[in-house]
């Protein structure tokens, strides 16, 4: 099957997933404790006022009619109104989303080169002291809690040494890099070990493959074999793992954003939970789910580009 029809078929297959996501996010508000209308109007509002607003918002309709209205609003880009901020939820999310995406991209910029270098060094010196050191550091990196590491880095590199800010987002690209270095480093220390273990194992497996043995028998240079065949073929499993980790980075940004007071999606989610702002929670859940779907599809497309034998 050619790529364009395969991509079209994959997009069609995602429709039930997207519909399921909208149903879950819709029920998230409906099944949550508390009354959004009462939260919106306050405790002093009369029952008549609450009933009138409920009818105005369509909350008195059957559940299936409310879902159809919700789905119709989604198609028009309407995620509802924030109870706390009295602003459209979509505007709130789009206002802070670039900060979370910048942080996630920063983490990848730090993590990917480190992963490739450490994996190649460990695989090409398998069983030697440098390989053992990298493997031990990988185990240590995976066992350190991100929030604890974030606090420690903020204390020593930020507060005591004053090398980096410990909160905020900064103004301008360079200032963003300065402010977000510690959050990105904290996350990278957790992310790199998992990718290194995966890529190292994949490289070692490819180094023993039959085509590599045949290439060596033909007299091809070892560096050529490694760079042209072994490393590209080793990247595919790690790429799939990286896709899962990227989706987790977007959704799991809450931890580092709270530790370093980064005003991103994670901070907005915590504020919405504390304020019981259900419409914002609903909108953020929808964005996180859609982000996971988009990242997964993108990884699948990149995998087919790297290795045409992979089927969508």
């Amino acid at each position: 099957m050619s790529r364009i029809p395969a991509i079209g078929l994959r997009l069609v297959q995602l429709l039930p997933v997207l519909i399921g996501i909208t149903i879950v996010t819709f029920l998230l508000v409906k099944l949550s404790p508390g009354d959004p209308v009462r939260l919106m109007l306050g405790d002093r509002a009369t029952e008549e006022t609450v009933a009138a607003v409920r009818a105005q918002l369509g909350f008195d309709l059957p559940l299936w009619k409310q879902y159809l209205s919700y789905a119709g609003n989604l198609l028009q880009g309407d995620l509802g109104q924030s109870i706390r901020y009295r602003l459209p939820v979509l505007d709130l999310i789009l206002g802070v989303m670039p900060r979370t995406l910048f942080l996630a991209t920063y983490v990848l910029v730090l993590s990917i080169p480190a992963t490739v270098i450490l994996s190649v060094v460990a695989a090409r010196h398998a069983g030697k002291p440098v390989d053992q050191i990298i493997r031990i550091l990988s185990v240590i990196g995976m066992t350190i809690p991100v929030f604890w590491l974030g606090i420690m880095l903020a204390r020593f590199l930020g507060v005591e040494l004053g090398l980096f800010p410990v909160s905020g987002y900064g103004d301008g690209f360079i200032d963003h890099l300065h402010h977000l270095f510690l959050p990105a480093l904290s996350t990278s220390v957790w992310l790199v070990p998992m990718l290194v273990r995966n890529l190292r194992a994949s490289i070692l497996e490819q180094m023993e493959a039959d085509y590599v043995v045949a290439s060596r028998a033909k007299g091809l240079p070892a560096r050529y074999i490694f760079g042209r065949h072994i490393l590209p073929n080793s990247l595919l499993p790690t790429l799939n793992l990286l896709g899962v980790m990227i989706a987790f980075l977007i959704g799991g940004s809450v931890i580092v954003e709270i530790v370093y007071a980064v005003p991103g999606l994670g901070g907005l989610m915590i504020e919405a939970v504390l304020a019981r702002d259900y419409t914002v929670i609903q909108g953020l859940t929808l964005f996180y789910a859609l982000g996971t779907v988009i990242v997964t599809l993108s990884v699948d497309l990149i995998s087919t580009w790297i290795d045409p034998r992979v089927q969508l």
Side-chain angles (χ1 to χ4, degrees), residues 32-78:
S32 298
D35 186 352
V37 176
R38 178 66 68 177
L39 291 173
M40 185 184 305
L41 298 178
D43 295 333
R44 296 184 178 181
T46 63
E47 293 299 329
E48 292 78 10
T49 303
V50 172
V53 174
R54 186 183 301 277
Q56 180 181 0
L57 296 177
F59 289 171
D60 59 338
L61 298 174
L63 199 60
W64 66 272
K65 288 187 177 181
Q66 293 185 46
Y67 171 73
L68 291 180
S69 176
Y70 169 70
N73 291 334
L74 285 181
L75 293 176
Q76 301 176 26
D78 182 9

Side-chain angles (χ1 to χ4, degrees), residues 10-303:
R10 183 60 184 273
L11 293 176
V12 172
Q13 292 173 345
L14 287 177
L15 288 179
V17 177
L18 296 177
I19 293 174
I21 290 173
T22 61
I23 293 175
V24 171
T25 55
F26 170 75
L27 293 177
L28 176 69
V29 170
K30 298 304 175 183
L31 300 179
S32 298
D35 186 352
V37 176
R38 178 66 68 177
L39 291 173
M40 185 184 305
L41 298 178
D43 295 333
R44 296 184 178 181
T46 63
E47 293 299 329
E48 292 78 10
T49 303
V50 172
V53 174
R54 186 183 301 277
Q56 180 181 0
L57 296 177
F59 289 171
D60 59 338
L61 298 174
L63 199 60
W64 66 272
K65 288 187 177 181
Q66 293 185 46
Y67 171 73
L68 291 180
S69 176
Y70 169 70
N73 291 334
L74 285 181
L75 293 176
Q76 301 176 26
D78 182 9
L79 299 182
Q81 194 86 356
S82 169
I83 298 173
R84 176 180 181 181
Y85 296 100
R86 300 291 194 271
L87 293 172
V89 173
L90 183 61
D91 292 346
L92 286 174
I93 294 176
L94 294 179
V96 299
M97 185 171 63
R99 301 164 187 172
T100 298
L101 294 180
F102 189 98
L103 176 58
T105 304
Y106 201 173
V107 172
L108 295 179
V109 170
L110 294 179
S111 300
I112 293 177
T115 296
V116 174
I117 293 173
L118 292 175
S119 301
V120 170
V121 172
R124 301 197 70 169
H125 299 82
K128 297 181 180 179
V130 64
D131 177 39
Q132 299 297 335
I133 292 174
I134 292 175
R135 295 173 67 184
I136 292 173
L137 292 178
S138 296
V139 174
I140 295 174
M142 289 189 297
T143 57
I144 297 178
V146 175
F147 71 89
W148 180 86
L149 181 61
I151 294 173
M152 292 298 101
L153 290 177
R155 175 182 177 183
F156 291 107
L157 297 182
V159 177
E160 295 190 4
L161 298 180
L163 298 177
F164 300 97
V166 296
S167 64
Y169 181 61
D171 299 317
F173 181 77
I174 301 300
D175 209 18
H176 295 339
L177 293 178
H178 192 209
H179 276 75
L180 295 182
F181 178 77
L182 291 182
L185 180 62
S186 303
T187 310
S188 296
V189 170
W190 163 81
L191 177 62
V192 168
M194 289 188 290
L195 297 178
V196 166
R197 289 175 64 87
N198 186 274
L199 183 55
R200 173 189 175 276
S202 182
I203 292 175
L204 289 176
E205 181 181 355
Q206 292 298 322
M207 290 175 68
E208 301 298 327
D210 292 339
Y211 73 91
V212 175
V213 176
S215 299
R216 290 170 180 164
K218 292 179 180 179
L220 294 177
R223 180 170 296 182
Y224 175 84
I225 298 174
F226 188 87
R228 185 66 182 271
H229 300 290
I230 296 177
L231 185 58
N233 290 328
S234 303
L235 291 176
L236 200 55
T238 305
L239 179 63
N240 294 324
L241 175 62
L242 180 61
V244 176
M245 292 297 101
I246 291 175
F248 180 83
L249 283 177
I250 298 175
S253 60
V254 176
I255 298 176
V256 292
E257 288 186 3
I258 293 302
V259 171
Y260 291 100
V262 178
L265 292 177
L268 181 61
M269 175 64 87
I270 293 299
E271 292 177 0
V273 170
L274 295 177
R276 298 173 69 185
D277 196 341
Y278 295 130
T279 52
V280 174
I281 299 173
Q282 184 182 48
L284 285 171
T285 303
L286 179 63
F287 260 73
Y288 286 143
L290 290 177
T292 301
V293 170
I294 292 173
V295 169
T296 302
L297 178 61
S298 300
V299 169
D300 290 343
L301 295 177
I302 295 174
S303 298

